């Protein structure tokens, strides 16, 4: 039996490896600590018979990214149907992730606090997988647990599998069998891990206590959600959201710009663009400069939007008056617009009291000096602070904006960016009209 261990906690994975290899006939071929390595590893080693995986595998920036993990698992099941998967989950019964894991045919599921398992029992389920009746309890979903898509929605993940000749040329690391002099050490490891109790499982899942000595390279698969909000009214969140979306769009990505507040600013922008005096309320979406704008509506279906684009930029406006706030907290990256002025710091304090700010948050301060950025950084509880360049037209970000976004988006840039942007081909008359329109929008959103 040849196993692949896919676990974010490398120390835990090493303990499991020692336990498995203390049993004759079991070999752990590889340990991976990031979801991006799962499919390449399976393609590189076609003789792998089983994968032991923990649900924190796709963790990035403190977020477990369970839907990314599910997309990877679905693709792995489709392309490697002969491999047996066993999942160690920290999620409680009722979590949609568990239901979807069952939906894709993985029945070997161990939930923390529900089942006790041992190294021999894990080997047993790889040799003889659990039956459907043991997993049916995971199909019941707690509707109060936020989940971005319905269970019937297909995965949007695209995976390219290299042929065997290609993957055979790539280097691979295999764990060789230990010699007989280490037999006692192996047997002792088996005894130590004979029963893996809840405390060790807690160690596996608890990200706060981990020493992240290994920082895996991130490859983003699926839709990246970018949230933009202000700590108060008129901070410039709409202007900034347009800039971010336009920058990504100009570099060849499919991008949706979603209004997630009740301001009706997108209706106003649409009317100005079409030269209409009245708000065009009958239209839920519109195209402008090649960018799809989704106006806020009470019946807005975010699941459909999420599944159709590489990036979704959500404009929450004033976060304290925003809609779909739960999506703000689940976003991969959260940009928070604020002022560095002393007399407006109370708005930031209110935000910090409401939200747990971690390293997925980035404060953007339009036009702030380096000194103000530094002073604000010292006072904040968490998150980075960046001065966001002031520009005339959000639909045509200046080079400084592009450089800044490329830097702060970091690992969430999916592929190398284009070296140049395609210019807008517009006539002189249209150009003057658009310039006038942008000036009007700037005054509205000010």
């Amino acid at each position: 039996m040849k196993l692949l261990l896919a676990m974010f906690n490398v120390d835990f994975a090493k303990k499991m490896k020692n336990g498995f290899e203390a049993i004759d006939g079991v070999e752990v071929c590889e340990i991976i600590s990031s979801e991006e390595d799962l499919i390449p590893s399976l393609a590189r080693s076609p003789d792998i018979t089983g994968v032991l995986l923990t649900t924190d595998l796709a963790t990035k920036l403190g977020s477990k990214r369970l839907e990314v993990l599910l997309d990877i698992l679905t693709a792995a099941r489709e392309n490697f149907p002969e491999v047996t998967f066993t999942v160690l989950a920290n999620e409680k019964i009722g979590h949609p992730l568990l239901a979807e894991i069952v939906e894709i045919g993985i029945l070997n599921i161990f939930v923390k606090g529900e089942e006790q398992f041992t190294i021999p029992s894990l080997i047993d389920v790889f040799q003889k997988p659990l039956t459907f009746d043991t997993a049916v309890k995971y199909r019941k979903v707690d509707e109060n647990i936020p989940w971005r898509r319905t269970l019937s929605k297909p995965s949007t993940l695209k995976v390219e599998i290299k042929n065997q000749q290609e993957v055979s040329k790539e280097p691979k690391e295999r764990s060789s069998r230990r010699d007989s002099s280490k037999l006692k050490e192996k047997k002792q490891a088996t005894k130590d891990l004979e029963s893996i109790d809840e405390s060790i499982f807690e160690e596996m899942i608890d990200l706060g206590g981990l020493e992240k000595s290994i920082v895996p390279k991130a490859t983003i698969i699926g839709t990246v959600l970018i949230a933009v909000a202000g700590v108060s009214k008129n901070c410039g969140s709409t202007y900034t959201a347009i800039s971010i979306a336009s920058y990504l769009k100009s570099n060849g990505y499919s991008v949706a710009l979603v209004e997630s507040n009740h301001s009706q600013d997108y209706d106003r922008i649409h009317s100005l663009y079409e030269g209409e005096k009245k708000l065009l309320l009958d239209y839920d979406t519109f195209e402008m400069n090649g960018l799809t704008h989704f106006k806020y509506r009470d019946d807005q279906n975010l699941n459909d939007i999420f599944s159709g684009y590489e990036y979704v930029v959500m404009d929450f406006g004033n976060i304290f008056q925003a809609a779909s706030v739960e999506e703000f907290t689940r976003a991969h990256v959260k940009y928070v617009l604020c002022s560095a002025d002393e007399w407006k710091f109370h708005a930031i304090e209110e935000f910090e009291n409401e939200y747990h700010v971690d390293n997925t948050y980035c404060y953007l301060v339009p036009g702030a000096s380096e000194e103000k950025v530094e002073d604000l950084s010292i006072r904040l509880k968490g998150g980075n602070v960046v001065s966001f360049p002031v520009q005339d037209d959000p639909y045509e970000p200046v080079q400084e904006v592009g450089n800044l976004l490329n830097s702060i988006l970091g690992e969430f840039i999916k592929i190398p960016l284009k070296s140049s942007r395609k210019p807008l081909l517009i006539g002189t008359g249209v150009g003057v009209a658009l310039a006038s329109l942008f000036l009007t929008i700037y005054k509205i959103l000010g």
Side-chain angles (χ1 to χ4, degrees), residues 79-118:
N79 290 281
F80 305 97
E82 72 285 355
V83 176
T84 300
F85 288 81
T86 298
V87 174
L88 308 183
N90 189 42
E91 290 65 40
K92 297 179 180 179
I93 292 179
H95 197 288
L97 173 69
L98 302 179
E100 292 215 42
I101 288 176
V102 174
E103 286 286 326
I104 61 176
I106 297 177
L107 305 180
N108 290 347
I109 302 174
F110 292 86
V111 174
K112 190 183 93 171
E114 295 292 331
E115 290 91 1
Q116 288 287 324
F117 61 90
T118 64

Side-chain angles (χ1 to χ4, degrees), residues 148 220 223-229 237 240-248 253-260 306 310-316 327-336 360 362 364 405 408-410 412-414:
R148 290 183 187 160
I220 303 303
T223 302
V224 175
L225 179 58
I226 299 173
V228 183
S237 65
T240 304
I242 293 172
S243 295
I244 294 172
S246 297
Y247 170 72
L248 293 169
Y253 302 112
S254 60
V255 185
L257 180 59
V258 181
E259 184 179 37
S260 300
F306 291 149
E310 292 177 281
Y311 290 89
V312 174
V313 180
M314 299 189 72
D315 171 17
F316 290 90
E327 296 299 338
F328 175 80
T329 59
R330 290 205 298 266
H332 295 90
V333 182
K334 308 166 189 69
Y335 295 122
V336 182
T360 65
C362 181
L364 301 182
L405 291 177
I408 59 182
L409 280 172
F412 294 101
I413 296 295
K414 293 190 172 191

Side-chain angles (χ1 to χ4, degrees), residues 343-354:
W343 61 89
K344 293 184 178 180
F345 186 74
H346 67 92
I348 301 177
E349 289 181 315
E350 292 176 11
F351 177 80
E352 288 184 324
N353 291 334
E354 186 71 22

Side-chain angles (χ1 to χ4, degrees), residues 1-5 17 20-21 25-32 41-42 44-51 172-177:
M1 179 185 298
K2 295 185 178 181
L3 301 178
L4 170 68
L5 304 186
K17 178 179 185 293
F20 278 119
E21 292 193 333
V26 180
E27 177 185 355
V28 175
C29 301
E30 191 174 356
I31 292 175
I32 63 172
S41 294
L42 290 173
R44 188 167 56 242
S45 303
D47 53 348
I48 288 176
T49 55
V51 175
K172 61 178 180 179
E173 294 184 5
R174 285 184 174 273
S175 300
S176 61
R177 302 294 294 169

